[in-house]
Structures are given as structure tokens and as C-alpha cells.
């Protein structure tokens, strides 16, 4: 049992354990932090699979960007203090059975299929190769991804900037005063 | 201690099994939790399991460096999706005062 096998089992325990904590935790802040450990463990998996650049990108974009966005979302959409940050779980038994069946089927298909194997040597994928591929074969997706990111930034800024607080709406339009499902204005 | 051969050396199937477990956990988060942000985190988990499959197949299978490129593009699109989705969540919270997906049932007032 060499070092890569030990690392594989350690990181798989980390990934699956923290993903389970993320799914089953009642506190959404705990879920977000468990997601951080899952994403960091996946970055270690990418490094084990000789994909160093993907691992670094995963750490930068997911752990440094998306997770911070999610935490901002959690903190901006919760009222009061953090001991009240609870979320509901519905249909736990049927959905667990459904997800378990899907997972079993996937594992059965993955294990029984004879995959065409062509193992990669260490050092076969370099940053130089990735960069050259990005500017030759993947030129069009690269440019389209740039345009997509620009559109996403503009769209997110526009959507987040023109939001109206509900108490203004309720004050200007008395019909909608009782519409708020929580029954109380979110902020005073 | 003598380990069986399939346990000693992690191969393609090991990574695929981890990715299948991650996928089913993400699916469970999407269909059983009622907070929008939990649903988003489940979607991120599903995207990551697909990414792990791409990278594992490019390490062991026929999908050589192309798998890395596809994984990079998946990460880019997940970032764009998370930014837009969080803006939508903030709008929904401002309008409905809640992020419970069962209470968001109106398209306009």
C-alpha cells in the first residue's frame, strides 16, 4: 500500500464525510463550511490524478470564490442571529431511498463496465500544453466563456442592484400588505 | 497485513465510485432540502462529481488532455452560474421575505 493509496483513502473519507455533513446538517452555515472541505478534498483528488492546473483552479475558483459567494448569500438572507439559521428538510425517507437507488445504479454501471484503459504518464499534461490547446483547439469555447463571464457579471450586478425592499412595496400598495409569507417585514 | 489487490492500488473504479456517492448526496440535497442556498450547494456537489469523472477518465481512460480542458470549462460555468443564482436568491429574498422554495410560487404580483 503505497502513499498514493493512503492519500486516496484519506481524502475520499474527507470528501464523502463532509459531503454527508453538508447534506444532513440542520445549520446552513455548517453546511457551507462542510462544502469547503469537500471542495478542498476534491482539489487533492485532482492533484492525485495528475491534473495540477485543475486542482489549483478548483481551489481558487471554488474555495476562494463560489464558497464566499454562498456564504454571502447565507448571511444576507438570514434574519437575526446565527443560532436561528435552521432549514427545513422534507420527505427525508423517500428522497434518501431515491438517491440511494440512483447511487447504487451508478456504482453498478461504473464497476461492471469494461472501460477502455490508456493510463497517462506523470508529466504528460503540462501547463504549456494546456495553454497551447486553449489557444488552438479550444479557441472558440475560450472566447465564448469570456463573453459568458462578462454577461454573468453584468446580469448579476443589474439583478442585485435594482431590488426593491418589500416594506416600500407594501407601503405604496396596500393590497399587497398581507402578502409577505413570513407575516413580518424582514428588516426594520 | 495482506490487502486484496483491488484495495491496494486506487484505479479508475475507485474514483468513479467516489463520484457516484457525491452525485447521490448532491441529488439528495437538491430534492430534500427546502432552502434555496442548500439546493445551490447540492448543484455544486453534482457539478463537482461530474468534474471528478472527467479528470479520472483523462487520467486512466482514452480522454487524455481534453478531459482537463472540459473540467476547466465546467468550473468556469459553475462560477457564472453561482454568481447569477445568488443575485436571483437576493431578489427573491427581497420580494418574498423568505428563501423557502415552497413559498416561492408566484411569478408576478
Amino acid at each position: 500500500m503505497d502513499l498514493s493509496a493512503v492519500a486516496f483513502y484519506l481524502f475520499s473519507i474527507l470528501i464523502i464525510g463532509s459531503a454527508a455533513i453538508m447534506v444532513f446538517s440542520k445549520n446552513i452555515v455548517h453546511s457551507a463550511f462542510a462544502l469547503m472541505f469537500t471542495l478542498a478534498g476534491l482539489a487533492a483528488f485532482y492533484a492525485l490524478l495528475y491534473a495540477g492546473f485543475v486542482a489549483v483552479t478548483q481551489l481558487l475558483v471554488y474555495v476562494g470564490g463560489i464558497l464566499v459567494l454562498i456564504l454571502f448569500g447565507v448571511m444576507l438572507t438570514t434574519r437575526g442571529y446565527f443560532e436561528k439559521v435552521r432549514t427545513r428538510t422534507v420527505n427525508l425517507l423517500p428522497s434518501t431511498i431515491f438517491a440511494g437507488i440512483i447511487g447504487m445504479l451508478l456504482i453498478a454501471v461504473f464497476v461492471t463496465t469494461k472501460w477502455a484503459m490508456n493510463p497517462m504518464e506523470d508529466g504528460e499534461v503540462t501547463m504549456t500544453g494546456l495553454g497551447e490547446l486553449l489557444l488552438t483547439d479550444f479557441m472558440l469555447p475560450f472566447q465564448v466563456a469570456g463573453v459568458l463571464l462578462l454577461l454573468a457579471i453584468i446580469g448579476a450586478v443589474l439583478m442585485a442592484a435594482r431590488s426593491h425592499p418589500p416594506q416600500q412595496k407594501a407601503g405604496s400598495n396596500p393590497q399587497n400588505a398581507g402578502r409577505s409569507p413570513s407575516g413580518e417585514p424582514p428588516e426594520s | 497485513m495482506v490487502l486484496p489487490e483491488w484495495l491496494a492500488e486506487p484505479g479508475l473504479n475507485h474514483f468513479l465510485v467516489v463520484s457516484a456517492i457525491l452525485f447521490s448526496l448532491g441529488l439528495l440535497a437538491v430534492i430534500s432540502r427546502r432552502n434555496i442556498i442548500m439546493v445551490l450547494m447540492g448543484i455544486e456537489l453534482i457539478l463537482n462529481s461530474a468534474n471528478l469523472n472527467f479528470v479520472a477518465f483523462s487520467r486512466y481512460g482514452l480522454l487524455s488532455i481534453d478531459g482537463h480542458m472540459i473540467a476547466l470549462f465546467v468550473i468556469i460555468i459553475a462560477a457564472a452560474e453561482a454568481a447569477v443564482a445568488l443575485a436571483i436568491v437576493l431578489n427573491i429574498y427581497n420580494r418574498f421575505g423568505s428563501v423557502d422554495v415552497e413559498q416561492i410560487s408566484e411569478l408576478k404580483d
Side-chain angles (χ1 to χ4, degrees):
Chain A
M1 198 158 184
D2 54 352
L3 199 60
S4 69
V6 177
F8 170 80
Y9 288 111
L10 277 181
F11 282 118
S12 60
I13 289 170
L14 173 74
I15 288 173
I16 294 172
S18 52
I21 290 173
M22 186 215 104
V23 175
F24 293 111
S25 167
K26 293 281 176 218
N27 188 327
I28 194 166
V29 181
H30 293 174
S31 294
F33 279 103
L35 183 66
M36 180 180 81
F37 285 104
T38 304
L39 298 174
L42 276 167
F45 260 25
Y46 297 152
L48 275 180
L49 290 166
Y50 301 158
F53 186 65
V54 184
V56 174
T57 313
Q58 164 97 2
L59 272 184
L60 281 178
V61 176
Y62 265 108
V63 184
I66 294 179
L67 202 74
V68 175
L69 265 182
I70 287 176
L71 276 175
F72 263 100
V74 169
M75 292 177 186
L76 288 176
T77 57
T78 47
R79 238 173 263 146
Y81 298 104
F82 278 98
E83 58 250 302
K84 291 183 190 159
V85 188
R86 299 270 183 251
T87 58
R88 272 198 311 141
T89 304
V90 294
N91 299 331
L92 191 58
L93 188 65
S95 52
T96 307
I97 293 172
F98 179 69
I101 288 173
I102 296 279
M104 289 295 163
L105 282 176
L106 276 176
I107 290 174
V109 168
F110 283 156
V111 171
T112 55
T113 309
K114 296 280 178 220
W115 301 106
M117 300 291 259
N118 181 20
M120 183 187 276
E121 298 295 321
D122 192 6
E124 189 179 320
V125 173
T126 57
M127 292 263 310
T128 316
L130 278 173
E132 280 176 0
L133 210 56
L134 204 58
L135 290 180
T136 52
D137 284 357
F138 287 84
M139 191 68 194
L140 182 64
F142 183 55
Q143 302 286 345
V144 172
V147 175
L148 175 81
L149 280 179
L150 179 68
L151 286 180
I153 290 170
I154 294 175
V157 169
L158 278 182
M159 268 193 292
R162 70 153 195 221
S163 55
H164 309 287
Q167 66 262 35
Q168 271 185 14
K169 247 182 68 194
S172 65
N173 192 354
Q175 293 169 349
N176 282 342
R179 275 283 183 87
S180 174
S182 59
E184 59 176 50
E187 294 160 0
S188 56
Chain B
M1 190 171 85
V2 178
L3 285 166
E5 193 198 349
W6 63 270
L7 193 62
E9 182 72 21
L12 176 61
N13 284 340
H14 296 71
F15 289 97
L16 293 186
V17 167
V18 172
S19 132
I21 295 171
L22 270 187
F23 177 82
S24 53
L25 282 172
L27 188 68
L28 184 59
V30 170
I31 61 182
S32 77
R33 304 304 296 266
R34 278 297 166 263
N35 191 317
I36 285 191
I37 298 176
M38 279 306 296
V39 174
L40 275 178
M41 285 198 247
I43 291 173
E44 299 295 338
L45 217 55
I46 290 175
L47 285 173
N48 268 291
S49 80
N51 243 350
L52 180 58
N53 266 4
F54 275 123
V55 179
F57 275 113
S58 79
R59 162 75 172 82
Y60 292 104
L62 297 178
L63 189 74
S64 65
I65 195 170
D66 288 349
H68 293 191
M69 298 302 302
I70 298 171
L72 284 176
F73 281 111
V74 170
I75 291 177
I76 292 171
I77 291 175
E81 172 253 337
V84 175
L86 261 302
I88 293 175
V89 166
L90 287 187
N91 261 342
I92 285 174
Y93 178 71
N94 279 332
R95 182 160 290 250
F96 291 94
S98 159
V99 284
D100 194 323
V101 291
E102 283 187 350
Q103 295 180 355
I104 304 162
S105 54
E106 297 169 341
L107 281 177
K108 67 193 287 280
D109 0 76

